[in-house]
Amino acid sequence: MEETDQLKAQIDLLQAALDHINQGFTVFDSDLRLVAWNRGLYDMLDMPEEIVRRGSHLEAFIRVNAERGEYGEGDIEGKIARRIERARLFEPHYFERVRPNGQIIAVSGTPLPQGGFVTIYSDVTEERRRQKKLEQTVEERTRALQQSEDWLRLVTDNIPALIAYLSPGPVFRFANRRYADWFGQSVASIAGKRAPDVVGDDLFAEIAPHIEKAFEGNAVSYEYQRSRPDGTLAYMRSTLIPDMTQDGRTLGIFVLSLDATDQKQAEAALVQSQRMDAVGKLTGGLAHDFNNLLAILMGNLLSLGRLEEPVDKEALDKKLSPMLDATKRGSELIQRLLAFSRGKAIDPQTVPLADVIAGTSRLLEGSLPSSITLNIHADDRQVAACIDPTQMETALINLAFNARDAMPDGGQLTISLDETVLETQEAKDLGIAAGPYARIAVEDTGGGMDADTQLKVFEPFFTTKSFGTGSGLGLSMVYGFIRQSGGAIQISSALGVGTFMTLYLPLVRLQDPEDQARDKSKAQSLKRGQGELLLLVEDDPDVAAAVTDQLQNLGYSVLLAESADDARTLALDLPELKGVLSDIIMPGQVNGLALAREIRRERSDLGIALMSGYADWSNLAGQGQTCEFPVLAKPFADAQLADAVQQILSLNSKG
């Protein structure tokens, strides 16, 4: 009896514990009869107390629910039978049921080892409402995000720029329509592709260092060029901005590219305009130089006419030598002026700066007033830089003319060259890397500049000259060229003292000049012929006679043709002919280049060279084409003529 009371007490204690669980709880045996339950079953499911007792069959519980309509409308008995049939399977089950009052009950049944099952009833109404609300929020935010993305796409697709986003790899995650079109992709196909697969291996090799630097957390700007589908070149200017977290990690990089082709063309036009302005200023000085050269020629020719026979060779050489020097100097001046005035795209090459300064001084000699003394201190031909020499000459001439304008009453203009090593702080102040540099100093003794002028002097269109006498572009272009060449420019000036401009360019040390001279002397040894028959096509009889004499002195036999028709006939009818030397500009419809091409089609074995004194004969080749024949610029020395003939004869022998 005592044990029974103790067991009953334990059961009551267990029941009290179960009644405090906020879930409903039932246990049915293998006959589907109720064994245990808790108060949660009443509170949650509103079950009648008369059926919630030990031994009640599961069917009674299901019937109450069915009659209340908790299983929906329809055949009540059928609904009860199906549920009893499923229960007899004693399988784990879970389902959620929405009661007519809107309450959502989760029912979870687990089979027992001896048969029967235990079932847990949970009220998940609030949980499902919160979940539904969360899903609605997510849906609304997803819709808003999609709308934002659509707006972003609309905006970026209509911006006149190429926009993209690169993640590590680098892999494209986003690109606007213009960016995708530029590389032959669609906005859908470009996403997820590796950068080399989109831009191509060659371009990627060029821009990869910039991308790597951006992923290191640096903003980067650079330019590149790429051919459009129509074959024209486009110049692109790109900026990379790292997408960084607060702790310094780089998630990706934003890419912004702009078509800079029009800007490049405008810059080139401005440079050419400035160059032609300088050419205009040089013209007076060059006219002075040519008058001097003509005076030398005329004076010596008149002297030759007065020599009495027999003519002494020493006296003859004394007259001829300055005449030859004068013609060479005149030819050199013309070639330098033509090269300077034509200009061309930036063409960096390693050149001795002393040679560039010397060439500039020759252009300036006659262009500066006699009241200004030009001093050149540039003797070290080993000091070189990788620059465009024509642009360098333009820069020096601009600086020289500025100095000239600053000295209306005369003074000293000094251009000097040396090398220096910039330490870290000094290089940082100039905005360039520390290391060895070539240094060009342009110094004048003019009126100088105040501090405010020095701050503005490199700004485009800033000028202290009166309206109409200066464009204000000269010094800004000098500054741009020097920076583009990897260097820096520094100004030091004071009112009444003068101005000191210092140009720094990355230093390149060349071969020893003595070794260069030996190599040059070997290269300049005359290469003579052995009687080979050449056809000379030249309509000017005086020029034809002079070139014929040069060729014969070099050991060649010469046939002369004065017209394209005669030249064509002789070239095609004389198999013993070894080479053709033709002027480019001739009377009539056929120029020398067209004639050379006609002859080449019929006789591919015949070596052909051209001659020209024309200012810009290269245009005759045709737009986008190059001249396939060697061209001699008139006048030419024996060594130049010998080299050209040997070149075409060697081609002939190879053929």
Side-chain angles (χ1 to χ4, degrees), residues 229-263:
D230 61 2
T232 60
L233 277 179
Y235 294 87
M236 304 300 293
R237 182 171 293 123
S238 294
T239 299
L240 308 181
I241 304 295
D243 177 17
M244 302 185 69
T245 62
Q246 290 185 347
D247 59 359
R249 292 178 295 111
T250 303
L251 302 177
I253 53 177
F254 298 98
V255 183
L256 174 66
S257 294
L258 297 172
D259 190 336
T261 306
D262 292 342
Q263 183 178 348

Side-chain angles (χ1 to χ4, degrees), residues 93 130 172 247 264 272 377 379 384 405 453 479 512 536 611 652:
H93 56 275
R130 287 195 299 270
F172 281 95
D247 59 359
K264 282 283 187 182
Q272 183 66 7
H377 304 298
D379 301 321
D405 295 340
T453 301
Y479 177 85
D512 185 272
L536 176 63
M611 307 177 294
N652 187 14

Side-chain angles (χ1 to χ4, degrees), residues 352-354 357 377-380 383 415-419 438-441:
L353 292 173
I357 294 173
H377 304 298
D379 301 321
D380 191 349
V383 178
I415 303 177
S416 58
L417 170 70
D418 64 359
E419 59 180 280
R439 179 169 57 187
I440 300 175

Side-chain angles (χ1 to χ4, degrees), residues 26 163 190 197 212 237 399 472 479 501 505 543 585 590 631:
T26 59
I163 301 172
I190 198 172
D197 298 334
E212 183 178 350
R237 182 171 293 123
L399 294 177
Y479 177 85
M501 291 277 192
L505 292 164
V543 175
I585 304 302
V590 179
V631 179

